[in-house]
Amino acid sequence: MLKYALLGFLKYRSLTGYDLKRIMDTSTTNFWHADLSQIYKTLKTLEAEAAITATVEQQTERPDKKIYTITDKGLADLAQWLATPLTETTPLKEILLLKLFFSGDSSSTHLLTQLRLQRELHQQQLAQYQQQTLADMAENIALMGADANDVLLWDATRRAGILYEEMYVRWLDETIERIAAQFQEGAS
Amino acid sequence: MLKYALLGFLKYRSLTGYDLKRIMDTSTTNFWHADLSQIYKTLKTLEAEAAITATVEQQTERPDKKIYTITDKGLADLAQWLATPLTETTPLKEILLLKLFFSGDSSSTHLLTQLRLQRELHQQQLAQYQQQTLADMAENIALMGADANDVLLWDATRRAGILYEEMYVRWLDETIERIAAQFQEGAS
DNA sequence: AGTTACATGTAAAACGTTACATGATTGT
DNA sequence: ACAATCATGTAACGTTTTACATGTAACT
């Protein structure tokens, strides 16, 4: 999947692995993230598949740059991925829910502390999404040469983040209340 | 992480890999799922760590069963995991959002078709959560010998599923509307 | 006659994380 | 003085997925 994310960015312009990491961290990281070493590894694979080509730019005061450019094959691979409809939903993996599921023997104070901490984290994430304006996206828009459609879709992903975090905080509030009211302290 | 899920279930009673798969598929699958072969591999690891022990039950008409039992070390490992607070949120990985992000050049009809398909899938998932009553959980409750606290927490995870799917459908509706109204057909 | 349920796994590949290694420049 | 930014990667480990392999019994 990361493969297609990298191709997606490289379609706009040629970039280094380091660039790609920086751009992902300011755009897709809330629904798709990757580690630098993983990006380098995936770029190598893509190069082997002839989906991208590399050119080295010599630098004197910094390490040399390896700039990757998407090939026709890369463009075709990306187009094919985008054209294939998703016939399933992405399954969730939520550590908090897993933990909660097995916490029947925990004390309610311990549970409430954990849930309140998570509430704070999600609240912060929500605030961050809400503060992100078009101005904050301007840098990426300029760098990538994004058009109106791109901005519409990028904003839709930000909107998804807002709704997700709002939902999460609401669920935590509800769950905190229920545990505070009904949880029985164990005799075990 | 799967490691702790398996220990969590084995705390209630001794089970085979096959049992664990079946139970996960009817309880945690919406926020934590695993493949059978992954479960078998993880059980092997847990056995090597002395967190569980295995006993073989001979069967004549079915393959022999390998029944796993949690050890004191396993109980301690699980307790330690449960006691450790989560200081971060679980990052999302959502393929639909990733695809959407790079779909600026797609046609609006193609995008709308994909989004409507996803809407249907999430709507179905929502309906399934909503129909799940206590009666449906009864089998697992009886099998695991769950108490009131367990049921409260298990229901909280189901409630999270409902809120998540409601949120997702709402976001899809909103996004479908925006694309229908504002998406420019490309001249590229 | 074909699928599902039961019950175990192996092998290979793909994907992801963490730690390590290098080395200059810029900011605190 | 120390951390951050720039810029590349390797090595080891850990997790997850996909495909393959076996074999009976019950259901459709």
Side-chain angles (χ1 to χ4, degrees), chain B residues 4-167:
Chain B
Y4 296 110
L6 300 180
L7 290 176
F9 284 116
L10 291 172
K11 189 182 174 185
Y12 289 100
R13 58 156 62 241
S14 298
L15 296 161
T16 67
Y18 197 83
D19 292 336
L20 283 161
K21 170 63 174 163
R22 206 159 13 79
I23 292 169
M24 283 187 80
D25 282 350
T26 57
S27 60
T28 65
T29 200
N30 306 303
F31 52 88
W32 209 272
H33 62 94
D35 197 66
L36 241 188
S37 69
Q38 195 193 335
I39 290 171
Y40 284 127
K41 208 186 288 184
T42 308
L43 285 170
K44 199 165 270 189
T45 310
L46 282 169
E47 200 184 355
E49 287 173 6
I52 58 176
T53 52
T55 21
V56 176
E57 187 185 302
Q58 241 92 26
Q59 296 194 128
T60 47
E61 314 211 320
R62 302 244 172 252
D64 292 353
K65 278 185 180 184
K66 209 163 171 183
I67 301 165
Y68 290 99
T69 302
I70 195 164
T71 64
D72 285 346
K73 179 170 182 298
L75 287 168
D77 290 353
L78 176 63
Q80 209 213 315
W81 178 65
L82 289 171
T84 310
L86 282 176
T87 54
E88 292 185 356
T89 60
T90 311
L92 281 183
K93 290 230 160 170
E94 260 291 325
I95 300 177
L96 182 66
L97 292 180
L98 186 65
K99 255 182 138 161
L100 201 64
F101 189 88
F102 292 113
S103 294
D105 286 346
S106 299
S107 73
S108 63
T109 41
H110 177 250
L111 276 180
L112 291 172
T113 306
Q114 289 218 187
L115 294 173
R116 289 194 185 109
L117 170 56
Q118 283 283 310
R119 190 193 188 283
E120 204 184 309
L121 295 171
H122 281 286
Q123 185 62 57
Q124 276 167 18
Q125 185 59 62
L126 173 59
Q128 199 211 286
Y129 285 131
Q130 284 170 335
Q131 281 161 20
Q132 247 174 42
T133 58
L134 272 186
D136 296 306
M137 290 173 69
E139 209 176 318
N140 277 338
I141 291 170
L143 180 69
M144 308 304 280
D147 65 13
N149 285 350
D150 292 326
V151 174
L152 173 67
L153 297 177
W154 296 1
D155 196 57
T157 64
R158 175 179 142 269
R159 179 78 186 141
I162 290 177
L163 290 182
Y164 177 74
E165 297 301 341
E166 281 178 352
M167 176 287 295

Side-chain angles (χ1 to χ4, degrees), chain A residues 17 55 70 80 94 115 117-119 157:
Chain A
T55 20
I70 195 166
Q80 209 214 317
E94 261 290 324
L115 293 173
L117 171 56
Q118 284 282 310
R119 191 195 188 281
T157 63

Side-chain angles (χ1 to χ4, degrees), chain A residues 56-141:
Chain A
V56 176
E57 183 183 305
Q58 242 92 25
Q59 296 193 131
T60 47
E61 315 213 319
R62 299 246 172 253
D64 292 352
K65 278 186 179 180
K66 209 163 170 183
I67 301 166
Y68 289 99
T69 302
I70 195 166
T71 63
D72 286 346
K73 179 169 180 301
L75 286 167
D77 290 353
L78 176 63
Q80 209 214 317
W81 178 65
L82 290 172
T84 310
L86 283 175
T87 55
E88 293 185 356
T89 60
T90 309
L92 282 183
K93 290 230 159 169
E94 261 290 324
I95 300 177
L96 181 67
L97 292 180
L98 186 65
K99 255 183 139 161
L100 200 64
F101 189 89
F102 293 112
S103 294
D105 287 345
S106 299
S107 72
S108 63
T109 40
H110 177 250
L111 276 180
L112 291 171
T113 306
Q114 288 218 188
L115 293 173
R116 289 194 185 110
L117 171 56
Q118 284 282 310
R119 191 195 188 281
E120 204 184 309
L121 295 172
H122 282 286
Q123 186 62 57
Q124 277 167 17
Q125 184 61 61
L126 174 58
Q128 199 210 288
Y129 285 134
Q130 284 170 334
Q131 281 161 19
Q132 245 174 43
T133 57
L134 273 186
D136 296 306
M137 291 173 69
E139 209 176 318
N140 277 338
I141 291 169

Side-chain angles (χ1 to χ4, degrees), chain A residues 38-53:
Chain A
Q38 196 194 335
I39 290 172
Y40 284 127
K41 210 190 286 185
T42 308
L43 285 170
K44 200 166 268 189
T45 311
L46 282 169
E47 199 184 355
E49 286 173 7
I52 57 176
T53 52

